[in-house]
PDB file of all heavy atoms in Angstrom:
ATOM      1  N   ILE M  20     155.748 138.060 196.559  1.00 90.00           N
ATOM      2  CA  ILE M  20     155.731 138.028 195.007  1.00 90.00           C
ATOM      3  C   ILE M  20     154.217 138.286 194.633  1.00 90.00           C
ATOM      4  O   ILE M  20     153.336 137.741 195.156  1.00 90.00           O
ATOM      5  CB  ILE M  20     156.035 136.590 194.514  1.00 90.00           C
ATOM      6  CG1 ILE M  20     157.452 136.195 194.931  1.00 90.00           C
ATOM      7  CG2 ILE M  20     156.101 136.757 192.833  1.00 90.00           C
ATOM      8  CD1 ILE M  20     158.653 136.968 194.494  1.00 90.00           C
ATOM      9  N   VAL M  21     154.096 139.070 193.542  1.00 93.00           N
ATOM     10  CA  VAL M  21     152.809 139.258 192.974  1.00 93.00           C
ATOM     11  C   VAL M  21     152.733 139.124 191.389  1.00 93.00           C
ATOM     12  O   VAL M  21     153.770 139.504 190.805  1.00 93.00           O
ATOM     13  CB  VAL M  21     152.185 140.671 193.414  1.00 93.00           C
ATOM     14  CG1 VAL M  21     152.962 141.764 192.685  1.00 93.00           C
ATOM     15  CG2 VAL M  21     150.772 140.962 193.316  1.00 93.00           C
ATOM     16  N   ASP M  22     151.683 138.680 190.833  1.00 94.00           N
ATOM     17  CA  ASP M  22     151.556 138.435 189.491  1.00 94.00           C
ATOM     18  C   ASP M  22     150.732 139.562 188.830  1.00 94.00           C
ATOM     19  O   ASP M  22     149.738 139.860 189.226  1.00 94.00           O
ATOM     20  CB  ASP M  22     150.931 137.133 189.148  1.00 94.00           C
ATOM     21  CG  ASP M  22     151.816 136.022 189.394  1.00 94.00           C
ATOM     22  OD1 ASP M  22     153.069 136.235 189.452  1.00 94.00           O
ATOM     23  OD2 ASP M  22     151.339 134.838 189.492  1.00 94.00           O
ATOM     24  N   VAL M  23     151.565 140.376 187.875  1.00 95.00           N
ATOM     25  CA  VAL M  23     150.921 141.544 187.330  1.00 95.00           C
ATOM     26  C   VAL M  23     150.714 141.344 185.785  1.00 95.00           C
ATOM     27  O   VAL M  23     151.669 140.946 185.100  1.00 95.00           O
ATOM     28  CB  VAL M  23     151.952 142.661 187.678  1.00 95.00           C
ATOM     29  CG1 VAL M  23     151.378 143.968 186.895  1.00 95.00           C
ATOM     30  CG2 VAL M  23     152.021 142.954 189.080  1.00 95.00           C
ATOM     31  N   LEU M  24     149.665 141.499 185.369  1.00 96.00           N
ATOM     32  CA  LEU M  24     149.327 141.403 183.871  1.00 96.00           C
ATOM     33  C   LEU M  24     149.497 142.903 183.348  1.00 96.00           C
ATOM     34  O   LEU M  24     148.972 143.891 183.859  1.00 96.00           O
ATOM     35  CB  LEU M  24     147.859 141.020 183.652  1.00 96.00           C
ATOM     36  CG  LEU M  24     147.462 140.877 182.134  1.00 96.00           C
ATOM     37  CD1 LEU M  24     148.404 139.597 181.615  1.00 96.00           C
ATOM     38  CD2 LEU M  24     145.990 140.471 181.982  1.00 96.00           C
ATOM     39  N   VAL M  25     150.412 142.999 182.283  1.00 95.00           N
ATOM     40  CA  VAL M  25     150.665 144.231 181.608  1.00 95.00           C
ATOM     41  C   VAL M  25     150.028 144.259 180.270  1.00 95.00           C
ATOM     42  O   VAL M  25     149.851 143.326 179.666  1.00 95.00           O
ATOM     43  CB  VAL M  25     152.239 144.384 181.611  1.00 95.00           C
ATOM     44  CG1 VAL M  25     152.812 144.825 182.881  1.00 95.00           C
ATOM     45  CG2 VAL M  25     152.906 143.172 181.037  1.00 95.00           C
ATOM     46  N   VAL M  27     150.410 144.417 177.218  1.00 93.00           N
ATOM     47  CA  VAL M  27     151.186 144.235 175.964  1.00 93.00           C
ATOM     48  C   VAL M  27     150.789 142.753 175.429  1.00 93.00           C
ATOM     49  O   VAL M  27     150.052 142.055 176.089  1.00 93.00           O
ATOM     50  CB  VAL M  27     152.726 144.215 176.181  1.00 93.00           C
ATOM     51  CG1 VAL M  27     153.285 145.637 176.712  1.00 93.00           C
ATOM     52  CG2 VAL M  27     153.116 143.091 177.297  1.00 93.00           C
ATOM     53  N   LEU M  29     150.923 139.714 175.530  1.00 92.00           N
ATOM     54  CA  LEU M  29     151.317 138.507 176.177  1.00 92.00           C
ATOM     55  C   LEU M  29     150.113 137.940 176.928  1.00 92.00           C
ATOM     56  O   LEU M  29     149.302 138.657 177.409  1.00 92.00           O
ATOM     57  CB  LEU M  29     152.326 139.008 177.348  1.00 92.00           C
ATOM     58  CG  LEU M  29     153.810 139.251 176.993  1.00 92.00           C
ATOM     59  CD1 LEU M  29     154.559 139.733 178.156  1.00 92.00           C
ATOM     60  CD2 LEU M  29     154.356 137.818 176.527  1.00 92.00           C
ATOM     61  N   GLN M  31     150.590 135.741 179.535  1.00 92.00           N
ATOM     62  CA  GLN M  31     150.797 135.454 180.939  1.00 92.00           C
ATOM     63  C   GLN M  31     151.156 136.780 181.735  1.00 92.00           C
ATOM     64  O   GLN M  31     151.530 137.802 181.279  1.00 92.00           O
ATOM     65  CB  GLN M  31     152.080 134.588 181.072  1.00 92.00           C
ATOM     66  CG  GLN M  31     152.037 133.217 180.466  1.00 92.00           C
ATOM     67  CD  GLN M  31     150.780 132.515 180.961  1.00 92.00           C
ATOM     68  OE1 GLN M  31     150.426 132.602 182.131  1.00 92.00           O
ATOM     69  NE2 GLN M  31     149.981 131.850 180.199  1.00 92.00           N
ATOM     70  N   ALA M  32     150.782 136.663 183.131  1.00 93.00           N
ATOM     71  CA  ALA M  32     151.168 137.737 183.953  1.00 93.00           C
ATOM     72  C   ALA M  32     152.641 137.601 184.406  1.00 93.00           C
ATOM     73  O   ALA M  32     153.083 136.426 184.267  1.00 93.00           O
ATOM     74  CB  ALA M  32     150.273 137.626 185.271  1.00 93.00           C
ATOM     75  N   TYR M  33     153.219 138.577 184.687  1.00 92.00           N
ATOM     76  CA  TYR M  33     154.715 138.575 185.198  1.00 92.00           C
ATOM     77  C   TYR M  33     154.732 138.707 186.621  1.00 92.00           C
ATOM     78  O   TYR M  33     153.867 139.365 187.194  1.00 92.00           O
ATOM     79  CB  TYR M  33     155.436 139.712 184.572  1.00 92.00           C
ATOM     80  CG  TYR M  33     155.980 139.577 183.152  1.00 92.00           C
ATOM     81  CD1 TYR M  33     156.016 140.609 182.267  1.00 92.00           C
ATOM     82  CD2 TYR M  33     156.419 138.285 182.760  1.00 92.00           C
ATOM     83  CE1 TYR M  33     156.527 140.496 180.990  1.00 92.00           C
ATOM     84  CE2 TYR M  33     156.972 138.172 181.470  1.00 92.00           C
ATOM     85  CZ  TYR M  33     157.030 139.183 180.626  1.00 92.00           C
ATOM     86  OH  TYR M  33     157.451 139.119 179.311  1.00 92.00           O
ATOM     87  N   SER M  34     155.717 138.028 187.211  1.00 91.00           N
ATOM     88  CA  SER M  34     155.963 138.098 188.631  1.00 91.00           C
ATOM     89  C   SER M  34     156.790 139.238 188.967  1.00 91.00           C
ATOM     90  O   SER M  34     157.769 139.547 188.280  1.00 91.00           O
ATOM     91  CB  SER M  34     156.513 136.854 189.259  1.00 91.00           C
ATOM     92  OG  SER M  34     155.578 135.690 189.081  1.00 91.00           O
ATOM     93  N   TYR M  35     156.396 140.004 190.088  1.00 93.00           N
ATOM     94  CA  TYR M  35     157.258 141.030 190.591  1.00 93.00           C
ATOM     95  C   TYR M  35     157.307 140.955 192.062  1.00 93.00           C
ATOM     96  O   TYR M  35     156.446 140.382 192.783  1.00 93.00           O
ATOM     97  CB  TYR M  35     156.620 142.430 190.284  1.00 93.00           C
ATOM     98  CG  TYR M  35     156.624 142.726 188.825  1.00 93.00           C
ATOM     99  CD1 TYR M  35     155.686 142.455 187.973  1.00 93.00           C
ATOM    100  CD2 TYR M  35     157.760 143.566 188.257  1.00 93.00           C
ATOM    101  CE1 TYR M  35     155.790 142.711 186.574  1.00 93.00           C
ATOM    102  CE2 TYR M  35     157.931 143.807 186.920  1.00 93.00           C
ATOM    103  CZ  TYR M  35     156.888 143.439 186.021  1.00 93.00           C
ATOM    104  OH  TYR M  35     157.023 143.749 184.780  1.00 93.00           O
ATOM    105  N   VAL M  51     155.047 149.145 187.001  1.00 95.00           N
ATOM    106  CA  VAL M  51     156.099 148.066 187.031  1.00 95.00           C
ATOM    107  C   VAL M  51     156.988 148.340 185.976  1.00 95.00           C
ATOM    108  O   VAL M  51     156.707 148.870 184.935  1.00 95.00           O
ATOM    109  CB  VAL M  51     155.567 146.589 186.879  1.00 95.00           C
ATOM    110  CG1 VAL M  51     154.684 146.270 188.156  1.00 95.00           C
ATOM    111  CG2 VAL M  51     154.653 146.567 185.612  1.00 95.00           C
ATOM    112  N   PRO M  52     158.365 147.997 186.195  1.00 95.00           N
ATOM    113  CA  PRO M  52     159.318 148.010 185.116  1.00 95.00           C
ATOM    114  C   PRO M  52     159.128 146.901 184.019  1.00 95.00           C
ATOM    115  O   PRO M  52     158.819 145.870 184.434  1.00 95.00           O
ATOM    116  CB  PRO M  52     160.643 147.840 185.807  1.00 95.00           C
ATOM    117  CG  PRO M  52     160.344 147.104 187.086  1.00 95.00           C
ATOM    118  CD  PRO M  52     158.840 147.455 187.459  1.00 95.00           C
ATOM    119  N   LEU M  53     159.112 147.330 182.838  1.00 93.00           N
ATOM    120  CA  LEU M  53     158.961 146.432 181.782  1.00 93.00           C
ATOM    121  C   LEU M  53     160.042 146.619 180.756  1.00 93.00           C
ATOM    122  O   LEU M  53     159.924 147.665 179.931  1.00 93.00           O
ATOM    123  CB  LEU M  53     157.566 146.519 181.196  1.00 93.00           C
ATOM    124  CG  LEU M  53     157.088 145.429 180.167  1.00 93.00           C
ATOM    125  CD1 LEU M  53     156.882 144.205 180.833  1.00 93.00           C
ATOM    126  CD2 LEU M  53     155.871 145.912 179.534  1.00 93.00           C
ATOM    127  N   GLY M  54     161.011 145.744 180.701  1.00 89.00           N
ATOM    128  CA  GLY M  54     162.170 146.002 179.753  1.00 89.00           C
ATOM    129  C   GLY M  54     162.727 147.445 180.338  1.00 89.00           C
ATOM    130  O   GLY M  54     162.981 147.654 181.459  1.00 89.00           O
ATOM    131  N   VAL M  61     148.072 145.429 186.093  1.00 96.00           N
ATOM    132  CA  VAL M  61     146.998 145.082 187.090  1.00 96.00           C
ATOM    133  C   VAL M  61     147.457 143.939 187.821  1.00 96.00           C
ATOM    134  O   VAL M  61     147.880 142.777 187.195  1.00 96.00           O
ATOM    135  CB  VAL M  61     145.741 144.970 186.416  1.00 96.00           C
ATOM    136  CG1 VAL M  61     144.641 144.556 187.490  1.00 96.00           C
ATOM    137  CG2 VAL M  61     145.327 146.217 185.704  1.00 96.00           C
ATOM    138  N   LEU M  77     163.798 138.835 189.751  1.00 87.00           N
ATOM    139  CA  LEU M  77     162.521 139.555 189.712  1.00 87.00           C
ATOM    140  C   LEU M  77     162.798 141.049 189.914  1.00 87.00           C
ATOM    141  O   LEU M  77     163.626 141.334 190.783  1.00 87.00           O
ATOM    142  CB  LEU M  77     161.462 138.954 190.706  1.00 87.00           C
ATOM    143  CG  LEU M  77     161.057 137.530 190.441  1.00 87.00           C
ATOM    144  CD1 LEU M  77     159.939 137.130 191.379  1.00 87.00           C
ATOM    145  CD2 LEU M  77     160.578 137.391 189.003  1.00 87.00           C
TER     146      LEU M  77
END
Side-chain angles (χ1 to χ4, degrees):
I20 308 286
V21 73
D22 286 342
V23 175
L24 187 63
V25 282
V27 298
L29 278 175
Q31 296 308 318
Y33 276 144
S34 296
Y35 288 89
V51 291
L53 188 69
V61 177
L77 296 186

